[in-house]
Amino acid sequence: MAISRRGWLGLAGVASAAAASRASAITIRTADPTGFAPAPGIAHLKYNENPLGPPASALQAMADLARQAWYYADDAEARLAAMIGSRLGVPATQIVLGHGSSEVITSAALAWGKRGTILLPALQFDEPLLYPMAQGLNYRRVAMAPDLGIDLGALARAAAAPDVAMVYLCNPNNPTGMMLKAADLVAFAKALPPRVTLLVDEAYMELADDPSGSTMLPLVRAGANVIVTRTFSKLFGMAGLRIGYAVAAPANAAELKRHRVTISLNAPGLAAAIAAWDDNAFQTQSRAAITAARRVLQAGVARAGTIALPSQTNFLFVKVADANRFATAMAQRGILVRGAWGPAWPEWSRVSTGRMADVERYAAALPELIKA
Ligand code: PLP
């Protein structure tokens, strides 16, 4: 049995609600001989991965690169930053690549954490903050709205405190899958005190109904004090290859770069990302597969007589009787889903859109196990 990084962090007792909930998140992947995939027969619907990827173009690029892997990958890094910048409409200098978007979010927390407190919604992904928290990061969680959406009013009030340096929020949010209205988020960003930087984690934005109408990239292009992060882990199916990036105004980008881990990017990940970035056919196929699996999950939830929050992502937050007991009962059937996110949300369990057969297994088991 292997205990995943997430399991260790939880067991180490790091002071974080999400980490506390991960104490039960021990992952067993060992029966696969490579050690990289779940055991045969296990439906891994737990970490919001994308079973489609990486695309064939990326597999080929990694194979081609293998013999040149003895070089440092600086040139490839510059190339990918230029490609991303040109598509997103900013100079390459405003793209900060990281070892997954986690690295750039961690860098932001380290940098802005020196200036003051970081605010984040109570019910939100926070793993990139665990290392800064262990270094003494000051952070405050802000309660959710009654519908479990991000409460922008409460965040705005909390951001008025003079010690606040940054607001970190995920849009769409993880684990709820919910999306803020773009106009509301723009108004929130514009009303923040100038000393407060807004970090919008858009890891799932490419899966949303209207990515270009929902992203905060226009604010970054306009030079606002807003950082947007994105990843190759979700739409592109490359979670194990660890490539993500931030898009930021020049001064913020420079600050992020100063707080990056030295030489953190890996050549196979860069090769795959460069190949996949312009692989539009794959991206369309990936969105379609995720949407189709999400529909199967949503239909299963309705058939089971329960509800899920409105998701624009590759996961659903599903209401059950007891999320921890439910996750255990599902695991006994070889279906791995998340237990309770924290003590405040004991009835909500997150399930990811994995392989279609796995998603169908979950939907079939749901009516019986939901009462667990
Ligand atoms: N941001 C959110 C909202 C996530 O849910 C995740 C991973 O699940 C990440 C960032 C981390 O992604 P990456 O693989 O790019 O580090």
Side-chain angles (χ1 to χ4, degrees), residues 272-314:
I274 288 168
W277 182 249
D278 287 327
D279 190 338
N280 294 327
F282 170 79
Q283 291 168 42
T284 305
Q285 184 194 2
S286 177
R287 273 176 61 91
I290 287 165
T291 311
R294 194 169 68 209
R295 278 203 214 98
V296 170
L297 288 176
Q298 282 162 334
V301 165
R303 266 199 314 277
T306 188
I307 54 166
L309 296 181
S311 169
Q312 298 201 21
T313 61
N314 63 343

Side-chain angles (χ1 to χ4, degrees), residues 211-282:
S212 53
S214 312
T215 177
M216 290 300 114
L217 284 173
L219 288 181
V220 180
R221 281 187 212 110
N225 192 10
V226 173
I227 300 170
V228 167
T229 57
R230 296 266 181 104
T231 181
F232 283 84
S233 298
K234 308 300 175 183
L235 175 72
F236 294 92
M238 297 185 190
L241 289 167
R242 311 304 306 129
I243 303 288
Y245 57 94
V247 192
N252 286 340
E255 186 69 347
L256 287 173
K257 285 177 189 167
R258 270 196 293 277
H259 290 81
R260 275 178 51 182
V261 171
T262 310
I263 321 181
S264 68
L265 289 162
N266 73 93
L270 285 166
I274 288 168
W277 182 249
D278 287 327
D279 190 338
N280 294 327
F282 170 79

Side-chain angles (χ1 to χ4, degrees), residues 98-121:
H99 182 74
S101 59
S102 294
E103 187 191 351
V104 279
I105 299 163
T106 300
S107 302
L110 289 171
W112 272 259
K114 288 181 193 163
R115 303 181 189 175
T117 297
I118 304 215
L119 295 182
L120 70 158

